[in-house]
Amino acid sequence: MIRLVHFLPSLDIGGAPINVMRVIKWHKKNNTKIQHIVCSPFNNLKMQKLFIKLGTELIEMPDIKNYLQLLRFIIKNLFLLKCDRSHKTLAILHGRGCGLLIKPLLTVLNFETVLFFRGYTPTYGLQNKFYAFIIRQYDKILAKFGTCVAVGEDEITIISKFLKPKKILKIRNPVPHIKWDYNKKDFKFDFGFVGRRSYQKGFDRALRISEENANKKFVWIGNIEGLQFSGVSIPKNLHIINYLPQEKIFNIVKVLICLSRWEGCSTIISESIQSKKPFLP
């Protein structure tokens, strides 16, 4: 039996946990006999319950910023998994933080790893070019071990050019149709934003748009990221919700807006295209 160990930096709303859950559902539907284990900080109770409902084994992982605790976690849990010869174990790292910190540890333990560079950009959205250069060189080293995954032809081209990985695999990111009421008129919110409340996702832009359009009702669906915008004043017409399933989002928001400063392919926008949901990129 094959065992896939997914490393997620967070269970909060975002493309990574949602896409992992879709993979698990697909394997369960097709009875592939693949065991899934999800390692992540337990920071979203609703998402935890959804994973458990699917029969997924959850292992609480320290925040990736706590490197010493993370090191103890890897040695304690992953070494035991490696010693279990009844399964072939493959570690899948979702997000740059997991690749940056966890991949070197797994390489030392001789784990077969898969590293997702979802929405890769060589500038990393940073204004400091030297800092971006340092991160890019580190990623080039990581890319020499295991397999890198690119979503689509454009991403495989840019990863191949800047990181020169030893192995690279192109995959298609299947986007489901989200059920919502096409004939609905009375939406609770005029506009909605989805993603972590961060600079990268454009939360500051949402604050400004809400302030400039006081007669409209806005909602941001997504948890806070670190200490970003932790003490900011929220406009009265901007409602904050930490998490909602996609179906509920589509049925309470009239038009979705993507404000990301850099984004490979926004999950919520891909779903909007597939589901004929009005959106503004």
Side-chain angles (χ1 to χ4, degrees), residues 36-69:
H36 292 270
I37 298 175
V38 172
C39 300
S40 174
F42 287 179
N43 54 0
N44 188 321
L45 183 58
K46 289 183 179 179
M47 192 65 79
Q48 287 173 232
K49 290 180 178 178
L50 289 173
F51 274 115
I52 292 171
K53 189 176 179 180
L54 288 171
T56 309
E57 181 180 348
L58 286 176
I59 301 177
E60 186 171 12
M61 185 177 79
D63 189 286
I64 59 175
K65 296 176 183 177
N66 300 323
Y67 194 71
L68 291 178
Q69 293 182 28

Coordinates of all heavy atoms in Angstrom, one line a residue, residues 36-69:
H36 N -3.9 8.3 3.3 CA -3.5 9.7 3.4 C -3.3 10.1 4.9 O -4.2 9.8 5.7 CB -4.6 10.6 2.8 CG -4.7 10.5 1.3 ND1 -3.9 11.3 0.4 CD2 -5.5 9.7 0.5 CE1 -4.2 11.0 -0.8 NE2 -5.2 10.0 -0.8
I37 N -2.2 10.8 5.2 CA -2.0 11.4 6.5 C -1.7 12.8 6.3 O -1.0 13.2 5.4 CB -0.8 10.7 7.1 CG1 -1.0 9.2 7.4 CG2 -0.4 11.4 8.5 CD1 0.2 8.4 7.9
V38 N -2.4 13.7 7.1 CA -2.2 15.1 7.0 C -1.5 15.6 8.2 O -2.0 15.5 9.3 CB -3.5 15.9 6.8 CG1 -3.4 17.4 6.8 CG2 -4.1 15.5 5.4
C39 N -0.3 16.3 8.0 CA 0.4 16.9 9.1 C 0.2 18.4 9.0 O 0.6 19.0 8.0 CB 1.9 16.5 9.1 SG 2.2 14.7 9.2
S40 N -0.3 19.0 10.0 CA -0.5 20.5 10.0 C -0.8 21.0 11.4 O -1.3 20.2 12.2 CB -1.8 20.7 9.1 OG -2.1 22.1 9.1
P41 N -0.6 22.3 11.6 CA -1.1 22.9 12.9 C -2.6 22.8 12.9 O -3.2 22.9 11.9 CB -0.6 24.3 12.7 CG 0.5 24.3 11.8 CD 0.2 23.2 10.8
F42 N -3.2 22.5 14.0 CA -4.6 22.4 14.2 C -5.2 23.8 14.4 O -5.5 24.2 15.6 CB -5.0 21.5 15.3 CG -4.8 20.0 15.0 CD1 -5.0 19.0 16.0 CD2 -4.3 19.6 13.8 CE1 -4.8 17.7 15.7 CE2 -4.1 18.3 13.5 CZ -4.3 17.3 14.4
N43 N -5.3 24.6 13.4 CA -5.8 26.0 13.5 C -7.1 26.2 12.8 O -7.5 27.4 12.6 CB -4.7 26.9 13.0 CG -4.3 26.6 11.6 OD1 -4.8 25.7 10.9 ND2 -3.3 27.4 11.1
N44 N -7.8 25.2 12.4 CA -9.1 25.3 11.8 C -10.0 24.1 12.1 O -9.9 23.1 11.5 CB -9.0 25.5 10.3 CG -10.3 25.9 9.6 OD1 -11.4 25.4 10.0 ND2 -10.3 26.8 8.6
L45 N -10.8 24.2 13.2 CA -11.6 23.1 13.7 C -12.5 22.6 12.6 O -12.7 21.3 12.5 CB -12.4 23.5 14.9 CG -13.2 22.4 15.6 CD1 -12.2 21.3 16.1 CD2 -13.9 23.0 16.8
K46 N -13.2 23.4 11.8 CA -14.1 22.9 10.8 C -13.4 22.1 9.8 O -13.9 21.1 9.4 CB -14.8 24.1 10.2 CG -15.8 24.9 11.1 CD -16.5 26.0 10.3 CE -17.5 26.7 11.2 NZ -18.2 27.8 10.5
M47 N -12.2 22.5 9.4 CA -11.4 21.8 8.4 C -11.0 20.5 8.9 O -10.9 19.4 8.3 CB -10.3 22.6 7.9 CG -9.6 22.0 6.6 SD -10.6 22.0 5.2 CE -10.5 23.8 4.6
Q48 N -10.6 20.5 10.2 CA -10.2 19.2 10.9 C -11.3 18.2 10.9 O -11.1 17.0 10.5 CB -9.8 19.5 12.4 CG -8.5 20.2 12.6 CD -8.3 20.6 14.0 OE1 -8.0 21.7 14.3 NE2 -8.4 19.7 14.9
K49 N -12.5 18.6 11.2 CA -13.7 17.7 11.2 C -14.0 17.2 9.8 O -14.3 16.0 9.6 CB -14.9 18.5 11.7 CG -14.8 18.8 13.2 CD -16.1 19.5 13.7 CE -16.0 19.8 15.2 NZ -17.2 20.5 15.7
L50 N -13.8 18.0 8.7 CA -14.0 17.6 7.4 C -13.0 16.5 7.0 O -13.3 15.5 6.4 CB -13.9 18.7 6.4 CG -15.1 19.7 6.5 CD1 -14.8 21.0 5.6 CD2 -16.4 19.1 6.0
F51 N -11.7 16.7 7.4 CA -10.7 15.6 7.1 C -11.0 14.3 7.8 O -10.9 13.2 7.3 CB -9.3 16.2 7.5 CG -8.6 17.0 6.4 CD1 -8.3 18.3 6.6 CD2 -8.3 16.4 5.2 CE1 -7.7 19.0 5.6 CE2 -7.6 17.1 4.2 CZ -7.3 18.4 4.4
I52 N -11.4 14.5 9.1 CA -11.7 13.3 9.9 C -12.9 12.5 9.3 O -12.9 11.3 9.3 CB -12.0 13.7 11.4 CG1 -10.6 14.2 12.0 CG2 -12.5 12.5 12.2 CD1 -10.8 14.8 13.4
K53 N -13.9 13.3 8.8 CA -15.1 12.7 8.2 C -14.7 11.9 7.0 O -15.4 10.9 6.7 CB -16.1 13.8 7.8 CG -17.4 13.3 7.4 CD -18.4 14.5 7.1 CE -19.7 14.0 6.6 NZ -20.7 15.1 6.4
L54 N -13.6 12.2 6.3 CA -13.2 11.5 5.1 C -12.3 10.3 5.5 O -11.9 9.5 4.7 CB -12.4 12.4 4.2 CG -13.1 13.4 3.4 CD1 -12.2 14.4 2.7 CD2 -14.1 12.8 2.4
G55 N -12.1 10.1 6.8 CA -11.3 9.0 7.3 C -9.8 9.3 7.2 O -9.0 8.3 7.2
T56 N -9.4 10.5 7.2 CA -8.0 10.9 7.1 C -7.4 11.0 8.5 O -7.9 11.5 9.4 CB -7.9 12.3 6.4 OG1 -8.6 12.3 5.2 CG2 -6.4 12.6 6.1
E57 N -6.2 10.4 8.6 CA -5.4 10.5 9.8 C -4.8 11.9 9.9 O -4.1 12.3 9.0 CB -4.4 9.4 9.9 CG -3.6 9.4 11.2 CD -2.5 8.4 11.3 OE1 -2.5 7.5 10.4 OE2 -1.6 8.5 12.2
L58 N -5.1 12.6 11.0 CA -4.5 13.9 11.2 C -3.4 13.8 12.3 O -3.6 13.2 13.4 CB -5.6 14.9 11.6 CG -6.6 15.4 10.6 CD1 -7.6 16.3 11.2 CD2 -5.8 16.1 9.5
I59 N -2.3 14.5 12.1 CA -1.2 14.6 13.1 C -0.9 16.0 13.3 O -0.6 16.8 12.3 CB 0.0 13.8 12.6 CG1 -0.2 12.3 12.3 CG2 1.1 14.0 13.7 CD1 1.0 11.6 11.8
E60 N -1.1 16.5 14.5 CA -0.8 17.9 14.8 C 0.7 18.2 14.7 O 1.5 17.6 15.3 CB -1.3 18.3 16.2 CG -1.2 19.7 16.5 CD -1.9 20.2 17.8 OE1 -2.3 19.3 18.6 OE2 -2.1 21.4 18.0
M61 N 1.0 19.2 13.9 CA 2.3 19.6 13.6 C 2.6 21.0 14.2 O 1.7 21.8 14.1 CB 2.6 19.6 12.1 CG 4.0 19.9 11.7 SD 4.2 19.8 9.8 CE 3.5 21.4 9.3
P62 N 3.8 21.2 14.8 CA 4.0 22.6 15.2 C 4.0 23.6 14.1 O 4.2 23.2 12.9 CB 5.5 22.5 15.8 CG 5.7 21.0 16.0 CD 4.9 20.3 15.0
D63 N 3.9 24.9 14.4 CA 3.9 25.9 13.4 C 5.3 25.9 12.8 O 6.3 25.6 13.5 CB 3.7 27.3 14.1 CG 3.6 28.4 13.0 OD1 4.6 28.8 12.5 OD2 2.4 28.9 12.8
I64 N 5.4 26.0 11.5 CA 6.7 25.9 10.8 C 7.7 27.0 11.2 O 8.9 26.8 10.9 CB 6.5 26.0 9.2 CG1 5.9 27.3 8.8 CG2 5.7 24.8 8.7 CD1 5.8 27.5 7.3
K65 N 7.3 28.0 11.9 CA 8.2 29.0 12.4 C 8.9 28.5 13.7 O 10.0 29.0 14.0 CB 7.4 30.3 12.8 CG 6.8 31.0 11.6 CD 6.0 32.2 12.0 CE 5.3 32.8 10.7 NZ 4.4 33.9 11.1
N66 N 8.4 27.5 14.4 CA 9.0 26.9 15.5 C 9.9 25.8 15.1 O 9.6 24.6 15.2 CB 8.0 26.4 16.5 CG 7.1 27.5 17.0 OD1 7.6 28.6 17.2 ND2 5.8 27.2 17.2
Y67 N 11.1 26.1 14.6 CA 12.0 25.1 13.9 C 12.4 24.0 14.8 O 12.5 22.8 14.4 CB 13.2 25.8 13.3 CG 13.9 25.0 12.3 CD1 13.3 24.7 11.0 CD2 15.1 24.4 12.5 CE1 14.0 23.9 10.1 CE2 15.8 23.6 11.6 CZ 15.2 23.4 10.4 OH 15.8 22.6 9.5
L68 N 12.8 24.3 16.0 CA 13.3 23.2 16.9 C 12.2 22.2 17.3 O 12.4 21.0 17.3 CB 13.8 23.8 18.2 CG 15.1 24.6 18.1 CD1 15.5 25.2 19.4 CD2 16.2 23.7 17.6
Q69 N 10.9 22.7 17.5 CA 9.8 21.8 17.7 C 9.5 21.0 16.5 O 9.1 19.9 16.5 CB 8.6 22.7 18.1 CG 8.7 23.3 19.5 CD 7.4 24.1 19.9 OE1 6.3 23.7 19.5 NE2 7.6 25.1 20.7

